[in-house]
Amino acid sequence: MIYQFEDLHLDVARRELRRNTDLIAVEPQVFDLLLVLIEARDRVVSRDELLEAVWNGRIVSEATIGSRLNAARTAIGDTGAEQRLIRTIPRKGVRFVGKVLEAADRKPERPKSSESSAPMSLRPEQRLPGIAVLPFTNMSGDPEQDYFADGMADEIITALSRSSGLLVVARNSSFTYKGRAVDVRQIGQELGVGYLLEGSVRRSRDRVRITGHLIETAAGAHLWSEKFDGDLADAIALQEQVAERVAAAIEPTLQLAEARHHGREIRPQVDAYDLLLRANALISEFTASSMVAALDCLAQALAIDQAYAPAMASLAYCRAQCDFQGWARQNEADRASAVQLAWRAVEIAPDDAQIAWMAAFAIWAMGRSEGQKARDLFARSLLLNPNSAMALTFAGWIEIMCGNVTDGRSMVARAHVLNPRDPRGWLTFGVQALASLVEEDYPSALRLAEQALALNRRFAVALRVIVVAHVKLGNLDRARGAVTELLAIEPELTVSGFLSRIPMPLESMAQTYAKTLRLAGLPD
């Protein structure tokens, strides 16, 4: 059954709420509450009926019921003041008063052309990981400091909400657990989330320590923890800084956790989202074979759903990384196809920050004449989510390659501050090495490139910096050794082939690479 009211559709079989064609994220209990009220719209539903239908007869506080009602109103565009659709009847209960039409449940037809109806960026099969931020515990012994602890959780909720890859539970739901000792598994079930962030605030004079723990609700396992120390002279600025760092660290942690979880899960039939997660796990391995396997997974995902924007952007990004590494040999038609796919992903999901930076990298790497458009797209990604360490790193990389070293360095530095323990730290070190190379600071370039290679010996960008730096410093034997490693990664690598596929906006850099690679023994 599908219930239609105003421009909304509540699909009972699929447990989806949509406004026109857009999927609205709602928590399971909020969906159940809406369904109960709509099905009983000819009368007032009492508090006891709600408890029985939504909470299985378990007693919960008035605040919990009120928070779910508020969340339901927000989801359908109503408010407690207006009560246009959900009306509270004092001392009696609640009633749904909107006009409802019933439609038989049928599978919607795909639009015949992309111009008739734009596909959604958030699709039902995505099952985005859900996270709830619990109220932070005030460990200061001063009840008046509760405001700071609550404000800390609020800031983190706001920062996490900017990530397009997460469903974040609203404050009015997660804060119903304030002051209560509840098992994380129970909270996960009640809120319908796989992850919780909990923490504490301890104040000592004018200093404060904030701790945070990310927990997987199903197993009760800790995935991430960190502590932050700061000065309370500017409490609001401190809250913002901590929230940004927490959000930047949690996003990639959850992505890896989801990929590993789905990789272990045995499913009779995989869908596009499963394949995307498998591809993400393979991309993180960063080997020639894993990247080829990732491309295959993404192609399968798009065969299932041709309008799946995350898979489009990931496939284009993966092809661009393969181009930089010399893996999965591609011709001009392949590159043009990747660029077209990247732009299509942005067209489908214009407000998805991750899709924007992935597409931007692919367009810059393989679009040849579209470098400025790629930079503009990076700017949009950072406008949507300024806390994405990956977006900052890739945007900084491109600015550096275009000669804007100061701006590029500041972006990469911010990425490192936001997530200093990022498992992809080899990328930030490699980009910093490129910055030193552009500045002709060869000792620094060598040191930073070695740091990148210590984390990932297969990173060709860092190996090429090693070659250039050693030649410039007169260490030809070491440069030749690095070329040997490059040829192990890409046996058919040549100077001309490298320069033809890697964008080099600075002519001086192109000449430097050509000269030093030849001197180190790389074939023309």
Side-chain angles (χ1 to χ4, degrees):
M1 179 66 68
I2 298 176
Y3 294 104
Q4 302 175 7
F5 52 98
E6 295 189 341
D7 56 350
L8 293 151
H9 300 75
L10 190 80
D11 190 325
V12 178
R14 295 172 178 80
R15 290 185 64 80
E16 295 172 359
L17 176 65
R18 296 179 184 275
R19 185 179 299 281
N20 296 321
T21 59
D22 294 329
L23 186 66
I24 300 172
V26 291
E27 301 157 25
Q29 287 182 346
V30 174
F31 185 93
D32 291 340
L33 189 149
L34 274 171
L35 180 58
V36 169
L37 294 179
I38 290 172
E39 288 182 335
R41 58 191 178 278
D42 58 338
R43 60 183 177 83
V44 176
V45 179
S46 69
R47 177 184 184 277
D48 289 342
E49 285 182 272
L50 287 177
L51 290 176
E52 183 63 35
V54 181
W55 286 273
N56 298 316
R58 184 168 52 85
I59 303 299
V60 298
S61 67
E62 291 294 337
T64 299
I65 298 174
S67 72
R68 300 303 187 277
L69 279 171
N70 288 336
R73 285 187 173 116
T74 299
I76 62 178
D78 198 4
T79 66
E82 187 178 6
Q83 297 194 17
R84 187 182 73 260
L85 296 172
I86 299 177
R87 185 171 299 166
T88 299
I89 313 299
R91 295 181 297 279
K92 293 185 180 296
V94 187
R95 183 183 173 193
F96 191 90
V97 295
K99 183 179 179 180
V100 178
L101 298 176
E102 297 182 5
D105 185 10
R106 64 183 180 88
K107 187 174 182 180
E109 297 178 1
R110 182 176 294 278
K112 293 181 180 178
S113 71
S114 59
E115 294 159 0
S116 61
S117 177
M120 298 169 297
S121 61
L122 177 63
R123 310 182 75 79
E125 68 269 21
Q126 282 186 256
R127 303 189 306 280
L128 295 177
I131 183 171
V133 181
L134 298 180
F136 275 38
T137 303
N138 174 18
M139 304 287 288
S140 304
D142 181 4
E144 292 187 2
Q145 293 303 314
D146 279 357
Y147 80 92
F148 184 85
D150 289 350
M152 189 68 261
D154 279 339
E155 287 289 341
I156 292 173
I157 289 171
T158 300
L160 285 173
S161 297
R162 290 175 171 171
S163 172
S164 54
L166 298 177
L167 290 178
V168 185
V169 171
R171 178 192 195 276
N172 57 7
S173 293
S174 58
F175 267 55
T176 60
Y177 296 93
K178 184 173 182 178
R180 298 166 54 195
V182 184
D183 185 84
V184 294
R185 296 172 182 84
Q186 180 183 338
I187 298 175
Q189 291 174 352
E190 292 178 356
L191 295 181
V193 297
Y195 305 92
L196 294 177
L197 180 72
E198 63 177 15
S200 63
V201 175
R202 184 186 298 275
R203 178 176 176 175
S204 176
R205 295 185 181 179
D206 59 349
R207 299 286 295 173
V208 65
R209 167 163 290 182
I210 301 164
T211 62
H213 307 282
L214 180 65
I215 302 168
E216 185 179 22
T217 59
H222 283 240
L223 301 178
W224 170 91
S225 63
E226 189 62 272
K227 62 183 179 182
F228 309 89
D229 294 307
D231 192 334
L232 270 175
D234 190 344
I236 294 177
L238 177 62
Q239 286 178 337
E240 290 177 349
Q241 291 167 10
V242 173
E244 289 171 353
R245 290 179 61 184
V246 169
I250 283 178
E251 182 182 15
T253 301
L254 286 188
Q255 288 174 348
L256 288 174
E258 283 286 287
R260 289 166 183 160
H261 170 71
H262 281 260
R264 294 191 302 266
E265 189 179 22
I266 299 175
R267 293 170 57 84
Q269 183 177 358
V270 297
D271 58 24
Y273 182 59
D274 290 306
L275 290 161
L276 175 67
L277 288 177
R278 292 182 188 185
N280 288 342
L282 289 164
I283 290 171
S284 69
E285 293 179 21
F286 205 72
T287 66
S289 59
S290 73
M291 296 294 262
V292 171
L295 289 172
D296 182 60
C297 284
L298 294 166
Q300 290 182 55
L302 290 174
I304 294 171
D305 186 347
Q306 297 177 7
Y308 191 23
M312 289 180 181
S314 292
L315 194 149
Y317 165 78
C318 189
R319 284 200 173 279
Q321 283 287 20
C322 285
D323 229 33
F324 267 87
Q325 289 289 124
W327 294 334
R329 189 165 298 281
Q330 301 166 87
N331 55 33
E332 287 305 314
D334 295 326
R335 294 186 182 95
S337 174
V339 171
Q340 184 179 17
L341 205 61
W343 280 122
R344 179 64 179 139
V346 173
E347 178 185 337
I348 293 172
D351 295 325
D352 190 309
Q354 180 163 311
I355 284 175
W357 72 253
M358 281 187 159
F361 180 72
I363 292 163
W364 177 73
M366 307 178 82
R368 299 295 184 256
S369 62
E370 300 188 75
Q372 185 55 52
K373 292 179 182 178
R375 294 166 74 184
D376 293 341
L377 195 51
F378 270 117
R380 175 160 180 76
S381 175
L382 290 170
L383 182 65
L384 293 167
N385 183 9
N387 304 320
S388 171
M390 288 296 281
L392 284 163
T393 301
F394 280 111
W397 182 351
I398 287 163
E399 290 306 310
I400 288 166
M401 292 302 292
C402 290
N404 301 319
V405 178
T406 300
D407 291 344
R409 275 193 186 279
S410 67
M411 289 177 178
V412 179
R414 174 168 163 75
H416 184 71
V417 168
L418 286 173
N419 195 3
R421 294 190 292 178
D422 193 328
R424 297 158 297 195
W426 49 270
L427 185 59
T428 57
F429 282 123
V431 174
Q432 289 173 325
L434 280 171
S436 294
L437 204 64
V438 173
E439 294 175 327
E440 300 183 3
D441 183 354
Y442 301 116
S444 292
L446 191 61
R447 173 178 54 81
L448 289 163
E450 289 288 6
Q451 286 179 279
L453 293 175
L455 298 173
N456 182 354
R457 200 70 202 177
R458 296 178 297 277
F459 190 28
V461 171
L463 276 171
R464 291 192 287 260
V465 170
I466 292 282
V467 174
V468 174
H470 273 314
V471 170
K472 289 292 187 179
L473 293 171
N475 306 321
L476 280 179
D477 287 342
R478 293 185 180 181
R480 292 188 183 107
V483 165
T484 301
E485 289 191 62
L486 278 171
L487 290 171
I489 294 171
E490 184 185 356
E492 298 180 22
L493 177 64
T494 62
V495 174
S496 59
F498 164 70
L499 292 175
S500 68
R501 74 168 192 264
I502 303 298
M504 288 278 182
L506 295 177
E507 181 60 30
S508 59
M509 283 294 292
Q511 293 175 0
T512 295
Y513 270 106
K515 181 178 180 180
T516 54
L517 288 171
R518 288 190 183 100
L519 286 172
L522 189 67
D524 279 332

PDB file of all heavy atoms in Angstrom, residues 164-183:
ATOM      1  N   SER A 164      27.690  13.488   2.742  1.00  0.00           N
ATOM      2  CA  SER A 164      26.620  12.897   1.946  1.00  0.00           C
ATOM      3  C   SER A 164      26.541  11.388   2.121  1.00  0.00           C
ATOM      4  O   SER A 164      25.558  10.766   1.740  1.00  0.00           O
ATOM      5  CB  SER A 164      26.845  13.231   0.468  1.00  0.00           C
ATOM      6  OG  SER A 164      28.147  12.829   0.065  1.00  0.00           O
ATOM      7  N   GLY A 165      27.556  10.769   2.705  1.00  0.00           N
ATOM      8  CA  GLY A 165      27.571   9.318   2.845  1.00  0.00           C
ATOM      9  C   GLY A 165      27.017   8.808   4.153  1.00  0.00           C
ATOM     10  O   GLY A 165      27.142   7.622   4.457  1.00  0.00           O
ATOM     11  N   LEU A 166      26.399   9.678   4.953  1.00  0.00           N
ATOM     12  CA  LEU A 166      25.888   9.269   6.258  1.00  0.00           C
ATOM     13  C   LEU A 166      24.448   9.724   6.447  1.00  0.00           C
ATOM     14  O   LEU A 166      24.049  10.769   5.943  1.00  0.00           O
ATOM     15  CB  LEU A 166      26.727   9.884   7.391  1.00  0.00           C
ATOM     16  CG  LEU A 166      28.198   9.519   7.494  1.00  0.00           C
ATOM     17  CD1 LEU A 166      28.832  10.296   8.646  1.00  0.00           C
ATOM     18  CD2 LEU A 166      28.374   8.031   7.714  1.00  0.00           C
ATOM     19  N   LEU A 167      23.700   8.924   7.200  1.00  0.00           N
ATOM     20  CA  LEU A 167      22.407   9.361   7.709  1.00  0.00           C
ATOM     21  C   LEU A 167      22.597   9.663   9.198  1.00  0.00           C
ATOM     22  O   LEU A 167      22.959   8.772   9.968  1.00  0.00           O
ATOM     23  CB  LEU A 167      21.348   8.273   7.521  1.00  0.00           C
ATOM     24  CG  LEU A 167      20.912   7.997   6.082  1.00  0.00           C
ATOM     25  CD1 LEU A 167      19.894   6.870   6.051  1.00  0.00           C
ATOM     26  CD2 LEU A 167      20.326   9.243   5.439  1.00  0.00           C
ATOM     27  N   VAL A 168      22.386  10.892   9.589  1.00  0.00           N
ATOM     28  CA  VAL A 168      22.660  11.328  10.951  1.00  0.00           C
ATOM     29  C   VAL A 168      21.337  11.562  11.680  1.00  0.00           C
ATOM     30  O   VAL A 168      20.491  12.328  11.210  1.00  0.00           O
ATOM     31  CB  VAL A 168      23.509  12.621  10.964  1.00  0.00           C
ATOM     32  CG1 VAL A 168      23.893  12.995  12.385  1.00  0.00           C
ATOM     33  CG2 VAL A 168      24.761  12.435  10.110  1.00  0.00           C
ATOM     34  N   VAL A 169      21.171  10.897  12.814  1.00  0.00           N
ATOM     35  CA  VAL A 169      19.952  11.033  13.598  1.00  0.00           C
ATOM     36  C   VAL A 169      19.859  12.446  14.164  1.00  0.00           C
ATOM     37  O   VAL A 169      20.851  13.010  14.637  1.00  0.00           O
ATOM     38  CB  VAL A 169      19.933   9.993  14.740  1.00  0.00           C
ATOM     39  CG1 VAL A 169      18.789  10.260  15.710  1.00  0.00           C
ATOM     40  CG2 VAL A 169      19.814   8.602  14.165  1.00  0.00           C
ATOM     41  N   ALA A 170      18.674  13.020  14.137  1.00  0.00           N
ATOM     42  CA  ALA A 170      18.469  14.382  14.628  1.00  0.00           C
ATOM     43  C   ALA A 170      18.693  14.463  16.141  1.00  0.00           C
ATOM     44  O   ALA A 170      18.528  13.484  16.874  1.00  0.00           O
ATOM     45  CB  ALA A 170      17.053  14.848  14.294  1.00  0.00           C
ATOM     46  N   ARG A 171      19.037  15.657  16.577  1.00  0.00           N
ATOM     47  CA  ARG A 171      19.331  15.886  17.989  1.00  0.00           C
ATOM     48  C   ARG A 171      18.161  15.505  18.886  1.00  0.00           C
ATOM     49  O   ARG A 171      18.353  14.900  19.954  1.00  0.00           O
ATOM     50  CB  ARG A 171      19.670  17.375  18.184  1.00  0.00           C
ATOM     51  CG  ARG A 171      19.962  17.764  19.632  1.00  0.00           C
ATOM     52  CD  ARG A 171      19.982  19.280  19.761  1.00  0.00           C
ATOM     53  NE  ARG A 171      20.573  19.730  21.001  1.00  0.00           N
ATOM     54  CZ  ARG A 171      19.920  19.832  22.153  1.00  0.00           C
ATOM     55  NH1 ARG A 171      18.647  19.468  22.223  1.00  0.00           N
ATOM     56  NH2 ARG A 171      20.529  20.271  23.248  1.00  0.00           N
ATOM     57  N   ASN A 172      16.944  15.844  18.471  1.00  0.00           N
ATOM     58  CA  ASN A 172      15.803  15.612  19.364  1.00  0.00           C
ATOM     59  C   ASN A 172      15.546  14.129  19.595  1.00  0.00           C
ATOM     60  O   ASN A 172      14.826  13.763  20.520  1.00  0.00           O
ATOM     61  CB  ASN A 172      14.544  16.304  18.846  1.00  0.00           C
ATOM     62  CG  ASN A 172      14.164  15.874  17.443  1.00  0.00           C
ATOM     63  OD1 ASN A 172      14.752  14.965  16.889  1.00  0.00           O
ATOM     64  ND2 ASN A 172      13.179  16.542  16.854  1.00  0.00           N
ATOM     65  N   SER A 173      16.121  13.265  18.788  1.00  0.00           N
ATOM     66  CA  SER A 173      16.006  11.824  19.013  1.00  0.00           C
ATOM     67  C   SER A 173      17.159  11.304  19.866  1.00  0.00           C
ATOM     68  O   SER A 173      16.942  10.588  20.853  1.00  0.00           O
ATOM     69  CB  SER A 173      15.975  11.072  17.683  1.00  0.00           C
ATOM     70  OG  SER A 173      14.798  11.364  16.974  1.00  0.00           O
ATOM     71  N   SER A 174      18.385  11.662  19.493  1.00  0.00           N
ATOM     72  CA  SER A 174      19.536  11.123  20.225  1.00  0.00           C
ATOM     73  C   SER A 174      19.637  11.683  21.642  1.00  0.00           C
ATOM     74  O   SER A 174      20.132  11.009  22.557  1.00  0.00           O
ATOM     75  CB  SER A 174      20.833  11.399  19.454  1.00  0.00           C
ATOM     76  OG  SER A 174      21.024  12.775  19.229  1.00  0.00           O
ATOM     77  N   PHE A 175      19.122  12.900  21.864  1.00  0.00           N
ATOM     78  CA  PHE A 175      19.230  13.508  23.190  1.00  0.00           C
ATOM     79  C   PHE A 175      18.208  12.957  24.182  1.00  0.00           C
ATOM     80  O   PHE A 175      18.236  13.309  25.354  1.00  0.00           O
ATOM     81  CB  PHE A 175      19.112  15.026  23.083  1.00  0.00           C
ATOM     82  CG  PHE A 175      20.429  15.729  22.950  1.00  0.00           C
ATOM     83  CD1 PHE A 175      21.308  15.380  21.929  1.00  0.00           C
ATOM     84  CD2 PHE A 175      20.814  16.723  23.827  1.00  0.00           C
ATOM     85  CE1 PHE A 175      22.524  16.006  21.794  1.00  0.00           C
ATOM     86  CE2 PHE A 175      22.034  17.359  23.702  1.00  0.00           C
ATOM     87  CZ  PHE A 175      22.895  17.005  22.685  1.00  0.00           C
ATOM     88  N   THR A 176      17.301  12.085  23.718  1.00  0.00           N
ATOM     89  CA  THR A 176      16.370  11.462  24.675  1.00  0.00           C
ATOM     90  C   THR A 176      17.108  10.488  25.592  1.00  0.00           C
ATOM     91  O   THR A 176      16.549  10.060  26.607  1.00  0.00           O
ATOM     92  CB  THR A 176      15.252  10.699  23.929  1.00  0.00           C
ATOM     93  OG1 THR A 176      15.837   9.680  23.108  1.00  0.00           O
ATOM     94  CG2 THR A 176      14.441  11.649  23.066  1.00  0.00           C
ATOM     95  N   TYR A 177      18.350  10.142  25.247  1.00  0.00           N
ATOM     96  CA  TYR A 177      19.120   9.209  26.075  1.00  0.00           C
ATOM     97  C   TYR A 177      20.016   9.929  27.083  1.00  0.00           C
ATOM     98  O   TYR A 177      20.823   9.286  27.753  1.00  0.00           O
ATOM     99  CB  TYR A 177      19.974   8.311  25.172  1.00  0.00           C
ATOM    100  CG  TYR A 177      19.141   7.433  24.272  1.00  0.00           C
ATOM    101  CD1 TYR A 177      18.806   7.844  22.988  1.00  0.00           C
ATOM    102  CD2 TYR A 177      18.645   6.215  24.720  1.00  0.00           C
ATOM    103  CE1 TYR A 177      18.020   7.055  22.156  1.00  0.00           C
ATOM    104  CE2 TYR A 177      17.852   5.419  23.903  1.00  0.00           C
ATOM    105  CZ  TYR A 177      17.540   5.846  22.628  1.00  0.00           C
ATOM    106  OH  TYR A 177      16.760   5.074  21.824  1.00  0.00           O
ATOM    107  N   LYS A 178      19.886  11.216  27.176  1.00  0.00           N
ATOM    108  CA  LYS A 178      20.732  11.979  28.094  1.00  0.00           C
ATOM    109  C   LYS A 178      20.491  11.536  29.536  1.00  0.00           C
ATOM    110  O   LYS A 178      19.352  11.450  29.998  1.00  0.00           O
ATOM    111  CB  LYS A 178      20.451  13.474  27.959  1.00  0.00           C
ATOM    112  CG  LYS A 178      21.369  14.342  28.818  1.00  0.00           C
ATOM    113  CD  LYS A 178      21.170  15.819  28.541  1.00  0.00           C
ATOM    114  CE  LYS A 178      22.136  16.655  29.377  1.00  0.00           C
ATOM    115  NZ  LYS A 178      22.008  18.093  29.090  1.00  0.00           N
ATOM    116  N   GLY A 179      21.583  11.245  30.217  1.00  0.00           N
ATOM    117  CA  GLY A 179      21.497  10.868  31.623  1.00  0.00           C
ATOM    118  C   GLY A 179      21.020   9.454  31.867  1.00  0.00           C
ATOM    119  O   GLY A 179      20.799   9.066  33.022  1.00  0.00           O
ATOM    120  N   ARG A 180      20.855   8.656  30.816  1.00  0.00           N
ATOM    121  CA  ARG A 180      20.356   7.288  30.958  1.00  0.00           C
ATOM    122  C   ARG A 180      21.454   6.283  30.626  1.00  0.00           C
ATOM    123  O   ARG A 180      22.232   6.479  29.705  1.00  0.00           O
ATOM    124  CB  ARG A 180      19.158   7.045  30.037  1.00  0.00           C
ATOM    125  CG  ARG A 180      17.956   7.910  30.325  1.00  0.00           C
ATOM    126  CD  ARG A 180      16.959   7.847  29.178  1.00  0.00           C
ATOM    127  NE  ARG A 180      16.589   6.482  28.846  1.00  0.00           N
ATOM    128  CZ  ARG A 180      15.969   6.121  27.724  1.00  0.00           C
ATOM    129  NH1 ARG A 180      15.668   7.040  26.820  1.00  0.00           N
ATOM    130  NH2 ARG A 180      15.678   4.851  27.497  1.00  0.00           N
ATOM    131  N   ALA A 181      21.517   5.213  31.420  1.00  0.00           N
ATOM    132  CA  ALA A 181      22.464   4.135  31.152  1.00  0.00           C
ATOM    133  C   ALA A 181      21.764   3.089  30.307  1.00  0.00           C
ATOM    134  O   ALA A 181      21.011   2.252  30.815  1.00  0.00           O
ATOM    135  CB  ALA A 181      22.962   3.524  32.456  1.00  0.00           C
ATOM    136  N   VAL A 182      21.976   3.145  28.991  1.00  0.00           N
ATOM    137  CA  VAL A 182      21.310   2.244  28.063  1.00  0.00           C
ATOM    138  C   VAL A 182      22.371   1.536  27.231  1.00  0.00           C
ATOM    139  O   VAL A 182      23.343   2.145  26.792  1.00  0.00           O
ATOM    140  CB  VAL A 182      20.345   3.013  27.127  1.00  0.00           C
ATOM    141  CG1 VAL A 182      19.580   2.042  26.237  1.00  0.00           C
ATOM    142  CG2 VAL A 182      19.378   3.860  27.942  1.00  0.00           C
ATOM    143  N   ASP A 183      22.197   0.228  27.026  1.00  0.00           N
ATOM    144  CA  ASP A 183      23.127  -0.553  26.233  1.00  0.00           C
ATOM    145  C   ASP A 183      23.163  -0.033  24.795  1.00  0.00           C
ATOM    146  O   ASP A 183      22.117   0.278  24.211  1.00  0.00           O
ATOM    147  CB  ASP A 183      22.710  -2.024  26.240  1.00  0.00           C
ATOM    148  CG  ASP A 183      23.722  -2.903  25.512  1.00  0.00           C
ATOM    149  OD1 ASP A 183      24.717  -3.300  26.150  1.00  0.00           O
ATOM    150  OD2 ASP A 183      23.519  -3.149  24.321  1.00  0.00           O
TER     151      ASP A 183
END
